[in-house]
Amino acid sequence: MTELLLRLVLPVSLAGTLFYGLTWLCRPLFARLRAGQRRAMLLVAGLVFLLPLTLLPLPGAAGMASGALPAEGLRATGPVAPVVQAGHALAEVLAPVAVNAPALAGDAASQAGPAASPAQAAGVVYLAGAALSLLVMAARYARLMAGLKGSARPVLPADRSAIVYRELCAEMGLRRAPVLCLSDRVSAPVLAGVFRPRILLPEASMRDGDLTFALRHELTHFRRGDLPFKLLMLLPCAVHWFNPVCVLLRREFDQTCEESCDESLARDFDPENRRAYAESLLAFAGPAPNVMVSGFATPAKKLKKRLGALMRPVRPSKRLCAACLLLLCGLLAAGTLAGCALSSGAASYTEQQVSAPAPSEISMPPGDSAPTDPADSLSLPEPAGEPEHTPAGDNGDDGDAVYVVEWGDKLIEMDENGALMQNPVPEATHVARLYSDDGHRGIDFNGPEGIGVLAAENGTVIEAGWHFSYGNYVRLDHGAGLETLYAHCETLTVEAGETVLTGQQIATVGSTGNSTGIHCHFEVLVDGEQQDPAGYVAVLCPYPGENGKMTRDMRG
């Protein structure tokens, strides 16, 4: 829920607010457009609040889903070949440190710390507010329709209003028109209902001119589909219930719909008919109808603007329309880019929150001190002499060279490139992203969906499940504070508590969770601190070293 709020709702709300605010600042120019053109502009502003345009990639952003690589890319990207299997004795080589393994930040239950609690609470509050707003709107609409339906009675075919109504429908070319009814719950003609529309007339008799203008006005609303659009503009008010700009946008859209309907209706009127239509509007001046219906009545405060637009119609030039269209596209792009920037910042924030595990409690033996850098505890000493080459057959491999290096009174196996662990995705096509200090604390191995994800070293499955950001993930404990994490998997083939061997398949490559392409996100943690995995597995590059692999010296 927190990710939904930070990565989707807030950026979309910012984009819509900025777009509507910029159009409001340019109001002197847009006021010279027709009411129908301004109605379309406001409808676009409402759609900005509903469409997740902020999830579009920013220009220049590298997409993981793309399989094409730049000619001059990262040093550690390029075609991948299977690497030589690393040794199995890594856990025995590490210093004997008793570590209480930290809970993975990907576990939602472990994120209940002081920093994560406000964000989680904000997500719950937002979701509850949005659900409540939608329920209230649905209940109000159902209650309104039930009340109008209960009070409505059909107009007799021989009634004067029914005769005028049939003539207008034939004149406007409407084959399926709303049902005409009388109701004692309305004081002015209204159009209500989306699926079964009805035009409701008040019980009191009306003059012929007022009846004709009112019926023509509501039929114009019906033909233009204004009522569904008005209901659509209520959705941003529910989704972004915390943003008052959505309410202002909805009110302006309702007013512009009425002005646009007047404009369309009076387009061919002469000055005398315009004055007669204005008198009909004055005759029905009163409280505004419910926002979920379209009514002929208008409050006195808004009636002045409506009459002014009716008596002084605007006729914008083609150049003005083209300039406004270009300006509108620029404002839309500005709002979307601002939302994208906020979404990218939120993604970086959530990734850091998820990637940073809680500090672990380390108990050292008496007289020993904890290393200042966890990576130092894994630095292999220089061997006293040439490393002894053990024949492949003695190690149970199929002919790959394995070296044995003395480590105190123990031995550790290493491959010819100095890698300590098995490459987790030996069938990967390329490496899309390396470890960096700006929030990406792992290596992304790209490859076809469904290829195997292998255990980098012997260990025990601590967790195997789902996380909103990691997707399907597996976390292995290799002992002495060393852990590895495999995220965004398509399927998992192990369960928590199982013991796995080096090179055993534990999952398949996929694109689950907060992922932008098919890849395996691989992390290495030592005493709860994330390390650069390039120091532990052989990562390949477009400028390969011996045997097409990046050696420890090449990694720097």
Side-chain angles (χ1 to χ4, degrees):
M1 289 183 292
T2 303
E3 185 185 22
L4 173 69
L5 181 64
L6 292 178
R7 296 214 51 201
L8 183 60
V9 178
L10 290 182
V12 169
S13 187
L14 173 65
T17 300
L18 184 60
F19 175 65
Y20 179 66
L22 292 175
T23 57
W24 188 86
L25 292 177
C26 300
R27 178 169 297 185
L29 178 62
F30 290 131
R32 299 166 60 184
L33 297 174
R34 295 184 184 274
Q37 295 169 330
R38 289 185 281 112
R39 167 179 169 269
M41 179 186 69
L42 294 174
L43 183 61
V44 171
L47 293 178
V48 172
F49 279 99
L50 296 177
L51 300 179
L53 299 176
T54 57
L55 295 183
L56 297 176
L58 289 172
M64 286 186 186
S66 175
L69 294 176
E72 297 181 0
L74 293 173
R75 181 176 175 82
T77 61
V80 171
V83 299
V84 180
Q85 179 173 325
H88 304 291
L90 179 61
E92 300 178 2
V93 173
L94 300 178
V97 180
V99 178
N100 296 328
L104 177 66
D107 188 355
S110 66
Q111 295 190 8
S117 296
Q120 293 288 348
V124 173
V125 170
Y126 162 73
L127 200 60
L132 181 61
S133 299
L134 288 173
L135 289 175
V136 169
M137 288 183 181
R140 289 180 57 191
Y141 182 78
R143 181 179 179 182
L144 175 66
M145 292 297 103
L148 293 178
K149 182 179 179 181
S151 65
R153 59 182 182 85
V155 177
L156 298 178
D159 194 89
R160 176 175 58 90
S161 57
I163 297 174
V164 174
Y165 185 66
R166 288 195 297 269
E167 293 176 354
L168 289 176
C169 291
E171 179 183 344
M172 299 176 68
L174 295 175
R175 297 182 179 179
R176 298 184 61 182
V179 178
L180 186 64
C181 301
L182 295 175
S183 175
D184 57 359
R185 299 191 60 176
V186 298
S187 58
V190 298
L191 171 66
V194 176
F195 303 104
R196 294 181 179 180
R198 300 181 182 188
I199 294 180
L200 302 174
L201 301 178
E203 294 282 359
S205 61
M206 296 184 293
R207 297 181 303 174
D208 290 345
D210 295 342
L211 175 64
T212 301
F213 285 133
L215 289 177
R216 189 184 293 272
H217 179 89
E218 300 307 326
L219 287 175
T220 303
H221 274 307
F222 171 75
R223 185 172 60 180
R224 291 156 49 93
D226 284 344
L227 191 55
F229 285 137
K230 290 180 67 174
L231 295 178
L232 177 66
M233 295 298 286
L234 288 173
L235 287 181
C237 298
V239 177
H240 305 275
W241 54 269
F242 55 88
N243 193 343
V245 174
C246 296
V247 179
L248 299 178
L249 174 62
R250 193 267 304 166
R251 291 177 180 176
E252 185 175 357
F253 181 79
D254 290 349
Q255 175 69 15
T256 308
C257 273
E258 298 301 328
E259 296 177 13
S260 175
C261 186
D262 295 340
E263 179 183 75
S264 176
L265 182 61
R267 183 173 301 167
D268 300 327
F269 282 0
D270 55 23
E272 183 177 353
N273 285 332
R274 287 180 181 273
R275 284 193 296 270
Y277 185 69
E279 292 176 357
S280 297
L281 291 177
L282 289 171
F284 288 102
N290 192 289
V291 296
M292 298 181 180
V293 300
S294 174
F296 195 64
T298 305
K301 293 182 179 180
K302 298 181 179 180
L303 187 58
K304 181 179 179 180
K305 182 179 179 181
R306 190 172 172 184
L307 293 176
L310 177 65
M311 302 306 297
R312 294 186 299 273
V314 296
R315 295 180 176 84
S317 62
K318 293 182 179 180
R319 291 184 179 180
L320 177 62
C321 294
C324 290
L325 180 60
L326 292 177
L327 178 60
L328 189 67
C329 293
L331 299 181
L332 179 60
T336 303
L337 288 176
C340 287
L342 178 61
S343 179
S344 300
S348 177
Y349 171 77
T350 54
E351 183 176 357
Q352 291 180 10
Q353 294 296 317
V354 170
S355 300
S360 58
E361 299 178 359
I362 304 177
S363 57
M364 302 294 297
D368 293 342
S369 59
T372 57
D373 186 355
D376 294 341
S377 63
L378 287 180
S379 299
L380 293 177
E382 294 294 334
E386 292 295 329
E388 177 186 355
H389 176 264
T390 303
D394 295 344
N395 291 276
D397 299 328
D398 352 34
D400 292 330
V402 176
Y403 295 88
V404 177
V405 179
E406 293 186 3
W407 178 283
D409 58 350
K410 301 181 178 65
L411 298 178
I412 179 173
E413 297 178 358
M414 296 176 56
D415 70 8
E416 58 188 2
N417 294 301
L420 303 178
M421 294 191 292
Q422 160 81 44
N423 187 307
V425 191
E427 299 181 33
T429 57
H430 63 277
V431 174
R433 194 175 180 186
L434 292 174
Y435 177 96
S436 62
D437 294 330
D438 60 357
H440 190 260
R441 302 307 176 95
I443 294 180
D444 293 341
F445 294 92
N446 278 32
E449 184 175 7
I451 61 175
V453 177
L454 311 183
E457 181 63 30
N458 296 341
T460 303
V461 181
I462 303 177
E463 294 175 355
W466 168 263
H467 181 265
F468 73 92
S469 184
Y470 281 130
N472 291 324
Y473 75 98
V474 177
R475 184 164 66 104
L476 302 181
D477 181 11
H478 306 290
L482 177 67
E483 298 177 0
T484 53
L485 171 72
Y486 315 78
H488 306 310
C489 303
E490 179 65 23
T491 58
L492 305 180
T493 57
V494 293
E495 297 180 354
E498 292 187 22
T499 300
V500 296
L501 301 177
T502 303
Q504 176 181 337
Q505 180 170 329
I506 59 176
T508 59
V509 172
S511 181
T512 58
N514 183 15
S515 171
T516 57
I518 300 174
H519 69 286
C520 173
H521 176 78
F522 176 66
E523 294 184 7
V524 174
L525 300 93
V526 177
D527 294 340
E529 297 291 337
Q530 287 146 323
Q531 309 296 319
D532 186 354
Y536 303 89
V537 299
V539 181
L540 311 187
C541 63
Y543 307 99
E546 184 180 359
N547 298 326
K549 304 179 178 66
M550 175 182 285
T551 65
R552 183 178 296 277
D553 295 335
M554 294 174 63
R555 299 187 204 109

